[in-house]
Amino acid sequence: MSSKDGTARAAGPDRPVPEDYVADRIKQEREARGWSTVALAEKMAEAGHPVNQAAIWRIESGKPRRRVNLDEALGFCQVFGLTMDELTAPPMKHADPVIRGIVREWIENKAALARAKRDVEILESQIDHEDFELKHFASHSDEHKAELEQLIRREEDAWKRQHP
C-alpha cells in the first residue's frame, strides 16, 4: 500500500510490508476455503508445520501482528497450494472469499470433468475391444451368433433388474 505521496507505507515498527501481505493472504486463503483458524492449524500440523490456532489468529489479526517464520511460510504455501511469491505478493483487493471459493470450485470441477472424459475414453476403448471379441465369436457360425444374442439379452435383463 502507499501513502498519498506515493511512498511505500511502513508495516509497523521494523516490519516490512510483505509481512503484512503474508498475513492478509493467509486470512484471505483461509476464508476462501471456509476454514476456521482451528481447521487451518490442523492442516498445518498434518503438513508437518504445526502452528496453533491462537498463533494463526495473531498472524491474521493481532495488534501487532505476529510474524511468520520461514518454516511456517513454507507450510502455508503447502497447505494453500501457493508459491512463496504468491504468498508474499499483495493480496487481491476485490477477490472476496465467496468469489475465491467459486473460482476454486470451478477449477476442481474442470479437473473432475477432465478425469471423467478420460474415464469415458478408457471405457469406450474397452467396449470397442469387447465388441470386436463378440463379433469374432459370432462370426464362427449362425449358432454362435444366436447363442450370443440370447446371452446378451439375458445379461442385460438381469442387469436391469439389479439396477432399476
Side-chain angles (χ1 to χ4, degrees):
M1 295 195 190
S2 61
S3 65
K4 290 179 184 176
D5 65 358
T7 60
R9 158 184 87 71
D14 300 320
R15 183 185 174 98
V17 173
E19 287 194 23
D20 279 340
Y21 293 163
V22 169
D24 292 341
R25 187 66 185 262
I26 290 168
K27 185 173 184 176
Q28 187 178 59
E29 294 294 328
R30 179 183 61 76
E31 289 176 343
R33 290 164 176 76
W35 297 346
S36 66
T37 53
V38 172
L40 178 53
E42 290 169 356
K43 291 181 185 306
M44 288 288 288
E46 290 168 10
H49 301 273
V51 179
N52 66 42
Q53 176 270 334
I56 292 171
W57 183 89
R58 287 192 318 272
I59 290 167
E60 292 180 355
S61 307
K63 302 284 185 214
R65 286 180 167 169
R66 178 188 173 283
R67 290 182 171 211
V68 175
N69 68 40
L70 182 58
D71 182 65
E72 293 166 346
L74 292 171
F76 287 121
C77 288
Q78 183 179 347
V79 168
F80 293 134
L82 301 173
T83 65
M84 190 63 76
D85 284 342
E86 291 168 331
L87 182 68
T88 59
M92 293 173 274
K93 293 179 184 175
H94 302 292
D96 68 16
V98 172
I99 296 300
R100 296 288 310 265
I102 292 169
V103 167
R104 289 210 182 270
E105 188 174 325
W106 177 76
I107 290 168
E108 289 171 7
N109 286 337
K110 282 182 62 174
L113 179 60
R115 287 190 303 273
K117 285 179 178 180
R118 188 183 65 243
D119 291 346
V120 166
E121 289 173 1
I122 290 168
L123 287 171
E124 287 174 338
S125 175
Q126 290 173 337
I127 289 170
D128 288 346
H129 175 73
E130 293 157 354
D131 280 343
F132 174 81
E133 294 290 331
L134 293 173
K135 286 177 184 171
H136 177 70
F137 176 79
S139 70
H140 289 299
S141 68
D142 288 341
E143 186 180 339
H144 280 148
K145 184 176 181 181
E147 187 178 315
L148 178 62
E149 288 171 356
Q150 185 180 15
L151 176 62
I152 289 171
R153 277 193 302 277
R154 275 195 245 146
E155 290 296 325
E156 284 179 335
D157 289 345
W159 190 90
K160 288 175 185 175
R161 284 190 301 275
Q162 292 175 346
H163 304 89

